[in-house]
Amino acid sequence: MNELLIYRIALGVAGICFAAFAVWTFRLSPENLSRFEPWPRAKLPGMVIGWIALALCVPHAAVVSPGFLVPLLWPLAIVVPILGYCFVDYPLARALGGAAILGAYYLVHKSFELHTPCSGAIAVLAWIFGIAGIWVSGKPCALRDWIRLCARSGVWRGVSGGFWVVFALALFWGALLTRGE
């Protein structure tokens, strides 16, 4: 597969994910808060997302790591999420924060490299998403607090869901129009 096709698939998959986030966000309410509030502390999904994120990081880390560390990168990428499962509080929130940072970087970088139409809009939306990822990575209980805010406030739910919708539409638009020229 060539780089352009991978990027277009990534835009489409991310757009579908963000559209699903929008639907989920719009469905939050005080009645179902008790069901969704514990999600940021979920261990197994946090470990799986951690493995995926670290697997994407290893090839990039190998280039900048000291020589003695390179053979340890893959074993560390396997062991660290397991340790997180055992010892870290809010593992899903931390893993989602890290995935948001990686995804935001990828979207910004590739949108300009492959001359995506509306790359400025995608970049701004991705920066907001990446900043949220940094915030959640540094303070993982913020994801739980955001879920509470969206469940209790129609304004927060509308703004957050609207952000996901706009981001998804921008990604779909970019996937359709990117030619890599």
Side-chain angles (χ1 to χ4, degrees):
M1 269 198 272
N2 67 14
E3 190 175 351
L4 176 61
L5 181 59
I6 292 170
Y7 173 66
R8 292 177 80 188
I9 290 170
L11 287 177
V13 169
I16 290 168
C17 288
F18 293 145
F21 293 164
V23 170
W24 178 78
T25 302
F26 286 129
R27 292 186 61 222
L28 284 173
S29 67
E31 292 78 35
N32 61 17
L33 177 60
S34 62
R35 192 171 110 200
F36 297 120
E37 191 176 30
W39 280 16
R41 289 188 171 200
K43 291 182 176 276
L44 187 60
M47 183 174 65
V48 171
I49 292 171
W51 273 328
I52 293 167
L54 289 175
L56 293 171
C57 285
V58 168
H60 300 289
V63 177
V64 296
S65 296
F68 74 91
L69 191 59
V70 173
L72 299 174
L73 290 176
W74 279 110
L76 285 170
I78 293 168
V79 170
V80 167
I82 295 169
L83 292 172
Y85 180 92
C86 297
F87 299 110
V88 171
D89 198 16
Y90 291 97
L92 180 59
R94 293 174 195 269
L96 288 174
I101 295 166
L102 290 171
Y105 169 77
Y106 179 79
L107 291 173
V108 171
H109 178 74
K110 290 297 181 186
S111 70
F112 286 103
E113 181 182 330
L114 296 174
H115 307 289
T116 301
C118 70
S119 59
I122 290 175
V124 170
L125 295 167
W127 285 331
I128 294 168
F129 181 58
I131 290 167
I134 293 169
W135 180 263
V136 168
S137 293
K139 186 179 177 189
C141 62
L143 184 59
R144 179 205 60 207
D145 296 341
W146 173 78
I147 291 170
R148 286 177 180 170
L149 277 171
C150 287
R152 293 183 179 138
S153 169
V155 173
W156 273 93
R157 190 171 37 254
V159 169
S160 298
F163 172 79
W164 296 125
V165 168
V166 169
F167 202 0
L169 291 174
L171 293 176
F172 290 141
W173 185 257
L176 290 173
L177 296 181
T178 299
R179 303 285 177 242
E181 300 164 350

